[in-house]
Amino acid sequence: MKYPPFEIENFFRQYEFSSPYQLSASDCEPLTLPELLEYASPARRQQFESLWLGYTEAQGHPELRAAIADMHAGIEPQQVLTVVPEEGIFLAMNAHLNAGDHVVAIYPAFQSLYEIARVKGCELSYWQPQRTEDGWDFCVDELAALIRPDTRMLIINFPHNPTGYLPSQADFARIIKLASARGLLLFSDEIYRFAEQDPATRLPSACEVYERAIVLGGLSKCFGAPGLRTGWLITRDERLLNECQELKSYTTICASAPSEIMAIIALENWQALVGRAIDIVQRNIASAKAFFGRYPDLFWVGYPRCGTISLAELRAEMPVSEFAAAIVREQGVMALPGNIMHFAGNYFRLGFGRRALPQAFEPFEQFIHDHLL
């Protein structure tokens, strides 16, 4: 199988580490190693400093799997497989899909969520959002119309990248009911879960409420530790998990030993880390509202209810791809254009998780005055 270029990763490879300012980072402000170790108990600190750098357990460190399970109601450590987050998508799609399968996928989304199925020869139907006055919405009735008698898998991602959309409890329950009625495999990308600005809006994890759900989670977004490259797959279906485990022997085999201990430290303090993320996001939303509020004729912004990202519309004749190329070239500001994410319209992604976001508004404003007013 030959995979097409991964467009968003190619874009970030070109600009992420060379641009002084970022508008579109998807993660929360990454921790430094000393900052993370400040959360460690004396025993954990000793465990980290005396760590044996040998191979690790293929399914994941038992204490790490226990910490992940503890964050999910009714889940046991043996129902968890630790993975690199992107690897988790690759394993689940390759282990459980075959050419000719019908798949319903949320779209647009992180490219591998639908691209792997497409390359494998699956037939895809796309569940797409509609813009509302306040943001975005995915209509569950439209999802129901996409599901066929031969549908094998439903792929969802809530909170959604890139709109920041989070369904209501009632709508999420309807999604689970649709999957359960057909016995579908449900792949639920929950990488942005736990960063709800209002904790009352937190949805149950799909693995908690549906036995054929496969959940992807990880430390890359709202936990501020993307460099640990630590994620997980969870399912209550033993066969589904075993098939992913078998395929993992052809990818990473096992995790980095230092990353596992640091991930345990992070998850033993996950509520503090998520609180840190929410605080940064809320401060940045306030700054963004003040900034974009000065230019209501030039921009529309749908602010997220959860997670670190959303979309802004450029209300100008300049195409967003031209805008993104010009602003990084002239002002050193990286803005991810919607076309890279296959998102129709003149949109670009906003990332609210980095502390330095307000600093990007000054060169952004200069660009506005130079080109858009």
Side-chain angles (χ1 to χ4, degrees):
M1 294 183 291
K2 183 174 177 60
Y3 289 93
F6 207 121
E7 296 181 44
I8 189 171
E9 294 303 321
N10 288 344
F11 184 90
F12 271 80
R13 187 181 304 120
Q14 184 175 0
Y15 297 115
E16 182 176 11
F17 298 102
S18 60
S19 303
Y21 307 101
Q22 286 210 28
L23 288 177
S24 301
S26 63
D27 58 350
C28 184
E29 183 72 26
L31 295 152
T32 65
L33 180 58
E35 284 175 330
L36 178 58
L37 291 178
E38 285 182 4
Y39 288 96
S41 67
R44 287 289 182 221
R45 184 68 178 252
Q46 174 61 27
Q47 184 182 20
F48 177 72
E49 293 177 349
S50 61
L51 186 62
W52 180 67
L53 295 178
Y55 287 108
T56 61
E57 294 190 35
Q59 192 171 347
H61 194 294
E63 290 182 277
L64 177 55
R65 288 187 283 120
I68 295 165
D70 284 346
M71 299 168 66
H72 298 82
I75 296 299
E76 301 296 329
Q78 64 268 24
Q79 296 167 329
V80 177
L81 173 66
T82 64
V83 294
V84 177
E86 172 65 89
E87 177 191 28
I89 301 173
F90 188 86
L91 297 179
M93 302 304 168
N94 278 286
H96 304 307
L97 292 176
N98 297 296
D101 286 342
H102 180 246
V103 175
V104 177
I106 198 166
Y107 184 89
F110 194 58
Q111 187 172 334
S112 54
L113 284 177
Y114 56 86
E115 196 72 77
I116 295 172
R118 191 192 65 78
V119 170
K120 285 181 68 69
C122 297
E123 182 184 352
L124 278 96
S125 298
Y126 295 111
W127 186 29
Q128 302 184 60
Q130 299 83 38
R131 187 169 130 179
T132 68
E133 182 178 345
D134 299 324
W136 300 89
D137 182 62
F138 282 87
C139 177
V140 182
D141 288 339
E142 292 184 10
L143 171 62
L146 294 173
I147 296 174
R148 306 187 327 208
D150 62 339
T151 301
R152 174 164 175 77
M153 180 182 283
L154 169 60
I155 300 168
I156 59 175
N157 165 220
F158 298 122
H160 179 240
N161 173 12
T163 65
Y165 173 75
L166 185 70
S168 67
Q169 299 277 350
D171 279 352
F172 186 70
R174 288 187 63 201
I175 294 167
I176 298 298
K177 186 175 181 179
L178 286 171
S180 178
R182 298 278 188 179
L184 305 181
L185 293 176
L186 175 63
F187 187 87
S188 180
D189 177 352
E190 300 177 7
I191 201 75
Y192 290 94
R193 187 170 179 256
F194 297 110
E196 298 83 5
Q197 295 178 50
D198 178 359
T201 64
R202 181 174 300 160
L203 300 173
S205 176
C207 64
E208 299 171 353
V209 294
Y210 182 45
E211 64 278 2
R212 285 179 61 78
I214 306 170
V215 162
L216 173 73
L219 299 181
S220 296
K221 304 305 179 185
C222 58
F223 297 93
L228 295 185
R229 310 309 301 132
T230 299
W232 51 83
L233 292 176
I234 306 174
T235 179
R236 289 188 282 150
D237 189 312
E238 182 179 0
R239 182 184 62 82
L240 295 178
L241 194 69
N242 287 343
E243 288 174 352
C244 290
Q245 175 74 72
E246 288 297 322
L247 188 56
K248 188 183 176 187
S249 298
Y250 287 90
T251 55
T252 60
I253 301 178
C254 64
S256 154
S259 287
E260 285 195 318
I261 303 307
M262 287 186 282
I264 293 170
I265 295 169
L267 291 180
E268 287 178 336
N269 298 277
W270 72 269
Q271 291 176 316
L273 297 184
V274 166
R276 168 184 178 269
I278 293 171
D279 180 67
I280 294 171
V281 167
Q282 289 179 333
R283 290 173 184 270
N284 282 339
I285 287 176
S287 295
K289 286 182 176 179
F291 176 80
F292 289 108
R294 298 200 290 270
Y295 304 101
D297 294 332
L298 282 178
F299 301 99
W300 173 90
V301 181
Y303 293 96
R305 295 174 62 197
C306 179
T308 60
I309 57 174
S310 70
L311 287 175
E313 181 186 28
L314 175 61
R315 292 171 161 172
E317 293 184 3
M318 178 182 288
V320 72
S321 57
E322 180 182 328
F323 158 78
I327 196 171
V328 73
R329 181 180 63 249
E330 297 180 20
Q331 298 293 339
V333 177
M334 191 198 82
L336 178 67
N339 59 288
I340 296 292
M341 300 173 284
H342 300 174
F343 205 98
N346 220 35
Y347 295 95
F348 59 97
R349 192 172 78 181
L350 283 175
F352 297 95
R354 296 286 185 91
R355 287 198 178 104
L357 177 65
Q359 297 172 24
F361 290 147
E362 183 175 346
F364 189 3
E365 194 154 37
Q366 183 62 54
F367 184 87
I368 290 171
H369 286 276
D370 289 346
H371 295 281
L372 301 177
L373 292 179

